[in-house]
Amino acid sequence: MIASDVSLKKFNTFGIDVSAKLFSQAENEDHVRNVIQSNEFKKNSTLILGGGSNLLFTKDFNGLVLKNHIQGIEILEETDDFVFVKVGGGVVWHDFVLHCIDKGWNGVENLSLIPGNVGASPMQNIGAYGVEIKEVFHELEAIHLKSGEIHYFRNEDCCFGYRDSVFKNKVKGEYLISRVIYKLSKKPNYNISYGAIEKQLENMGIKDLSAKSVSDAVIAIRQSKLPDPSKIGNSGSFFKNPIVTQSTFDSIKLKFPNVVAYPAGEDLMKLAAGWLIEQAGWKGKTYGNYGVHKNQALVLVNYGGASGKEIYDLSSRILDSIKEKFGVNLEREVNIY
Ligand code: EPU
C-alpha cells in the first residue's frame, strides 16, 4: 500500500524530477484511513497531493506523499433547474468539465482546461474568465487526517477568497478533500462578461451560446496564451495578482499611466501581475532549460530538466525586481516544497 523511493516527475505538472521517500495512491476513503493510521504516516512529514498542478518541488520529499485518486461522478439530486453532483477529489478537473458539458449542466464551462483535480478546486477557489468555483460549489467531504472522520464543509464554511479558502489558512494541512458536491444549472446561464471571451466567440463566428461554445472559446484563449503542461512543464500562474489600496494604485498610475488593474472591492485595486512582470523585462526570458513564458509573464516554465531550485530562484529575482520597480510585493500562487 505504501511504496518507497517513488519518482514524483509524473505527479507534478512542472515535471520536476524529485522523489518521495514514501508514496501511496488512495483510491477510496478506506485506503486514506488505512494510510493515515499507519506508523509511516504518523512518523513522517506528509504531503497530500492532487493533480500536482500548483506546486514546485525544490528538493526530494523526505516524507510520505499521499496522492488523492478517489474517482466517481454521482448525481445526488436533480430538478428541472438544477443538478447536485458529487465528484471524487481525484477526478481530473477538465474531465469533469467535459462531463458537465456533455450532460447539459452549466456553470463550469469558463473553467475549462484548468490543470489539476477536483479536490483542489475548492482549496484555492480556482477561477478564470470571470467565474470562480465558489459560484457552483455546494458542499465538500473531507477526511480529517488525525481522526479519520469525515467532516462536511458548506460554501460559507470554506471562507472563499481570491485563490483562497479555509484549507489554505485555518485548517491548512488538516484534511484530505475526498469528494466535492457542485450545484450546476440546467438552464442557460452563461458568463461572457470577460472581454476576451466575447471577442473569441466573435472570431469563431459563434452566435448560439452554449456551454460547449463558451468552453471552446475558453480553450482557444488558454491555448493561445498558456503553455500545455503535458508539453512544457508549468504550474499556471506562478504569482497572484496583487491587491493594493486605491492610493497606492494612484501613485503607481502617476509613474506608469498604462498600468493594468481592476477594482477589487472598496478602496482596493487588483494589479495585473503579468503586466508588471512584462514591464520589468522578464517576459520570454529563458535561462537554458527554464524561464518566463513568452505569451504570459505570470507563468514560469520548465522546458525539460530544470531543477525546482532554479525556478524558485528565478521567482525570487522576479519578486525583488517588481518590488524595486513598482514598490509592490508579489506573492507566489504555487506552493513550494
Ligand atoms: N498582461 C500583460 N502581460 C502578460 C500577461 C498579462 O500585460 O504577460 C496584462 C494584459 O493587459 C491582460 C491582463 O494582464 O489584459 C490580464 O491578463 P489575463 O487575462 O491573461 O489574466 P491574468 O490576470 O494574467 C488571471 C488568472 C489566470 C486566469 C486568467 C483569466 C491569476 C493569478 N491568474 O491571469 O489563472 O486564467 O486570469 O481569468 O489570477 C492560474 O491561476 O493558474 C491561471 C492561469
Side-chain angles (χ1 to χ4, degrees):
M1 191 175 63
I2 299 177
S4 301
D5 284 323
V6 172
S7 167
L8 295 174
K9 190 170 177 196
K10 67 171 187 201
F11 296 114
N12 73 97
T13 59
F14 252 121
I16 304 293
D17 196 2
V18 290
S19 61
K21 186 172 81 172
L22 299 163
F23 181 89
S24 188
Q25 177 158 298
E27 305 297 338
N28 53 44
E29 284 81 347
D30 282 343
H31 186 132
V32 174
R33 272 188 215 102
N34 286 334
V35 171
I36 65 181
Q37 279 158 11
S38 68
N39 277 334
E40 286 98 324
F41 192 86
K42 287 178 187 156
K43 292 199 171 134
N44 282 287
S45 51
T46 56
L47 166 63
I48 307 297
L49 189 62
S53 62
N54 202 40
L55 49 75
L56 177 67
F57 287 114
T58 56
K59 51 183 180 296
D60 288 335
F61 190 76
N62 186 28
L64 193 160
V65 171
L66 177 56
K67 178 163 167 66
N68 178 354
H69 196 245
I70 298 174
Q71 301 297 301
I73 300 182
E74 179 197 350
I75 294 176
L76 295 184
E77 191 187 328
E78 191 164 4
T79 67
D80 286 345
D81 294 337
F82 290 104
V83 57
F84 289 85
V85 59
K86 188 193 229 182
V87 190
V91 170
V92 172
W93 172 259
H94 185 61
D95 290 349
F96 171 59
V97 171
L98 293 179
H99 182 88
C100 294
I101 290 169
D102 190 45
K103 296 281 182 197
W105 304 336
N106 304 310
V108 288
E109 55 281 353
N110 293 45
L111 307 177
S112 295
L113 221 54
I114 292 186
N117 291 355
V118 162
S121 65
M123 173 93 72
Q124 55 156 358
N125 184 23
I126 57 170
Y129 306 107
V131 172
E132 286 183 336
I133 200 66
K134 68 173 185 200
E135 290 157 49
V136 292
F137 175 92
H138 180 63
E139 190 178 50
L140 66 77
E141 297 177 4
I143 302 177
H144 189 240
L145 296 174
K146 281 223 167 79
S147 66
E149 285 169 4
I150 297 222
H151 292 174
Y152 298 86
F153 290 78
R154 289 159 304 169
N155 198 312
E156 59 271 30
D157 303 325
C158 293
C159 307
F160 288 125
Y162 167 55
R163 294 293 192 279
D164 200 34
S165 76
V166 72
F167 300 100
K168 287 176 89 174
N169 297 299
K170 217 171 106 203
V171 300
K172 188 173 178 180
E174 293 182 28
Y175 288 94
L176 178 146
I177 297 173
S178 44
R179 304 201 186 252
V180 183
I181 300 161
Y182 303 96
K183 181 186 182 186
L184 299 164
S185 170
K186 289 170 72 179
K187 295 273 151 72
N189 179 25
Y190 308 114
N191 180 340
I192 55 164
S193 60
Y194 202 91
I197 295 193
E198 242 181 338
K199 222 185 281 160
Q200 184 64 37
L201 286 165
E202 215 177 283
N203 289 348
M204 292 165 86
I206 294 169
K207 294 210 177 61
D208 294 329
L209 278 190
S210 65
K212 172 86 168 68
S213 60
V214 174
S215 169
D216 286 346
V218 168
I219 288 172
I221 301 168
R222 289 189 74 97
Q223 285 177 338
S224 72
K225 281 197 181 182
L226 297 166
D228 175 353
S230 69
K231 299 193 181 104
I232 299 175
N234 76 90
S235 260
S237 297
F238 198 93
F239 305 97
K240 289 201 222 181
N241 288 327
I243 295 173
V244 298
T245 60
Q246 184 70 42
S247 69
T248 303
F249 171 73
D250 291 342
S251 54
I252 295 173
K253 183 137 176 104
L254 269 182
K255 267 177 93 181
F256 303 97
N258 298 329
V259 61
V260 180
Y262 315 91
E266 205 179 322
D267 206 31
L268 296 172
M269 293 295 279
K270 190 192 272 186
L271 303 175
W275 187 88
L276 301 174
I277 297 169
E278 180 173 349
Q279 295 304 307
W282 293 100
K283 192 170 180 173
K285 278 252 163 57
T286 301
Y287 305 89
N289 47 11
Y290 65 97
V292 181
H293 192 246
K294 64 180 188 336
N295 297 336
Q296 168 50 290
L298 265 187
V299 178
L300 304 188
V301 289
N302 171 17
Y303 293 106
S307 74
K309 175 80 169 52
E310 287 171 317
I311 292 169
Y312 180 79
D313 289 347
L314 170 61
S315 73
S316 299
R317 296 201 294 280
I318 294 174
L319 290 183
D320 291 347
S321 100
I322 299 306
K323 176 77 184 166
E324 198 183 309
K325 189 171 168 88
F326 300 100
V328 170
N329 290 311
L330 283 190
E331 259 180 69
R332 295 181 181 88
E333 196 202 309
V334 302
N335 299 304
I336 309 294
Y337 290 96

